Coordinates of all heavy atoms in Angstrom, one line a residue:
Chain C
V316 N 50.1 88.4 -134.1 CA 49.1 88.9 -135.0 C 49.7 90.0 -135.9 O 49.0 90.6 -136.7 CB 47.7 89.3 -134.5 CG1 47.0 88.1 -133.9 CG2 47.9 90.4 -133.4
A339 N 32.3 98.0 -126.8 CA 33.2 96.9 -126.4 C 33.9 96.4 -127.6 O 35.1 96.0 -127.6 CB 32.4 95.9 -125.7
Q342 N 36.6 98.6 -129.0 CA 37.8 98.6 -128.1 C 38.6 97.3 -128.4 O 39.8 97.3 -128.4 CB 37.3 98.5 -126.6 CG 38.3 99.2 -125.7 CD 37.5 99.6 -124.4 OE1 36.8 98.7 -123.8 NE2 37.7 100.8 -123.9
G343 N 37.9 96.1 -128.6 CA 38.5 94.9 -128.9 C 39.3 95.0 -130.2 O 40.5 94.6 -130.3
L344 N 38.7 95.6 -131.2 CA 39.4 95.8 -132.5 C 40.7 96.7 -132.4 O 41.7 96.4 -132.8 CB 38.5 96.4 -133.5 CG 37.3 95.5 -134.0 CD1 36.4 96.2 -134.8 CD2 37.9 94.3 -134.7
S346 N 42.4 97.0 -129.7 CA 43.6 96.4 -129.0 C 44.2 95.4 -130.0 O 45.5 95.1 -129.9 CB 43.2 95.6 -127.7 OG 42.1 94.8 -127.9
L347 N 43.6 94.8 -130.9 CA 44.2 93.9 -132.0 C 45.1 94.8 -132.8 O 46.2 94.4 -133.2 CB 43.1 93.2 -132.8 CG 42.5 92.0 -132.2 CD1 41.3 91.5 -133.0 CD2 43.5 90.8 -132.1
L350 N 48.2 95.4 -131.2 CA 49.1 94.2 -131.2 C 49.8 94.1 -132.6 O 50.6 93.1 -132.8 CB 48.3 92.9 -130.9 CG 47.8 92.8 -129.5 CD1 46.9 91.5 -129.5 CD2 48.9 92.6 -128.5
V500 N 34.7 85.4 -128.9 CA 35.6 85.5 -127.7 C 35.1 86.7 -126.9 O 34.7 87.7 -127.5 CB 37.1 85.6 -128.2 CG1 37.3 86.8 -129.1 CG2 38.0 85.5 -127.0
P501 N 35.0 86.5 -125.6 CA 34.5 87.7 -124.8 C 35.4 88.9 -125.0 O 36.6 88.8 -125.0 CB 34.7 87.1 -123.4 CG 34.6 85.7 -123.5 CD 35.3 85.4 -124.8
C502 N 34.8 90.1 -125.1 CA 35.5 91.3 -125.2 C 35.0 92.4 -124.3 O 35.0 93.5 -124.6 CB 35.5 91.8 -126.7 SG 33.9 92.4 -127.2
G503 N 34.7 91.9 -123.1 CA 34.3 92.9 -122.1 C 32.8 92.9 -121.7 O 32.0 92.0 -122.2
L512 N 33.2 89.2 -129.2 CA 33.9 89.6 -130.5 C 33.9 88.4 -131.4 O 34.4 87.4 -131.0 CB 35.2 90.1 -130.1 CG 36.2 90.4 -131.4 CD1 35.7 91.7 -132.1 CD2 37.6 90.7 -130.9
I514 N 35.2 86.5 -134.7 CA 36.3 86.5 -135.7 C 35.9 85.4 -136.7 O 35.8 84.2 -136.3 CB 37.6 86.3 -135.0 CG1 38.0 87.4 -134.1 CG2 38.7 86.2 -136.1 CD1 38.9 87.1 -132.9
R526 N 44.2 81.8 -133.6 CA 45.4 82.5 -133.2 C 45.0 84.0 -132.8 O 45.5 84.5 -131.9 CB 46.4 82.5 -134.3 CG 47.7 83.3 -134.2 CD 48.7 82.8 -135.1 NE 48.4 82.8 -136.5 CZ 48.7 83.8 -137.3 NH1 49.3 84.9 -136.8 NH2 48.4 83.7 -138.5
V527 N 44.1 84.6 -133.7 CA 43.7 86.0 -133.4 C 43.0 86.0 -132.1 O 43.2 86.9 -131.2 CB 42.8 86.5 -134.6 CG1 42.3 87.9 -134.3 CG2 43.7 86.5 -135.9
A528 N 42.1 85.1 -131.9 CA 41.2 85.1 -130.7 C 42.1 85.0 -129.4 O 41.9 85.6 -128.4 CB 40.1 84.0 -130.7
D529 N 43.1 84.1 -129.5 CA 44.0 83.9 -128.4 C 44.8 85.0 -128.1 O 45.1 85.4 -127.0 CB 44.8 82.6 -128.8 CG 45.9 82.3 -127.7 OD1 45.5 82.0 -126.6 OD2 47.1 82.4 -128.0
A530 N 45.4 85.6 -129.2 CA 46.2 86.8 -129.0 C 45.4 88.0 -128.3 O 45.9 88.6 -127.4 CB 46.8 87.3 -130.4
Y531 N 44.2 88.1 -128.8 CA 43.3 89.1 -128.2 C 43.1 88.7 -126.7 O 43.2 89.6 -125.8 CB 42.0 89.2 -128.9 CG 41.1 90.1 -128.2 CD1 41.2 91.4 -128.1 CD2 40.0 89.6 -127.4 CE1 40.4 92.3 -127.3 CE2 39.2 90.3 -126.6 CZ 39.4 91.6 -126.6 OH 38.5 92.4 -125.9
E532 N 42.7 87.5 -126.4 CA 42.3 87.0 -125.1 C 43.6 87.3 -124.1 O 43.3 87.7 -123.0 CB 42.0 85.6 -125.1 CG 41.5 84.9 -123.8 CD 41.1 83.5 -124.1 OE1 42.1 82.6 -124.2 OE2 39.9 83.2 -124.3
R533 N 44.8 87.0 -124.6 CA 45.9 87.2 -123.7 C 46.1 88.7 -123.4 O 46.4 88.9 -122.2 CB 47.2 86.8 -124.5 CG 47.3 85.3 -124.7 CD 48.7 85.0 -125.1 NE 48.7 83.6 -125.9 CZ 49.9 83.1 -126.3 NH1 51.0 83.7 -126.0 NH2 49.8 82.0 -127.0
S534 N 45.9 89.5 -124.4 CA 46.2 90.9 -124.1 C 45.0 91.5 -123.3 O 45.3 92.4 -122.5 CB 46.3 91.7 -125.4 OG 45.1 91.9 -126.0
A535 N 43.8 91.1 -123.5 CA 42.6 91.7 -122.8 C 42.4 91.1 -121.4 O 41.8 91.8 -120.6 CB 41.4 91.6 -123.7
G536 N 42.8 89.9 -121.3 CA 42.6 89.3 -119.9 C 41.1 89.0 -119.6 O 40.8 88.8 -118.4
F537 N 40.3 88.8 -120.6 CA 38.9 88.4 -120.3 C 38.7 86.9 -120.3 O 37.6 86.3 -120.4 CB 38.0 89.0 -121.3 CG 37.8 90.5 -121.2 CD1 38.0 91.3 -122.3 CD2 37.5 91.0 -120.0 CE1 37.9 92.7 -122.2 CE2 37.3 92.4 -119.9 CZ 37.5 93.2 -121.0

Side-chain angles (χ1 to χ4, degrees):
Chain C
V316 293
Q342 214 164 43
L344 291 173
S346 54
L347 279 167
L350 291 172
V500 60
C502 66
L512 172 67
I514 300 156
R526 177 157 58 93
V527 177
D529 173 63
Y531 170 74
E532 186 177 79
R533 291 191 204 188
S534 79
F537 290 128

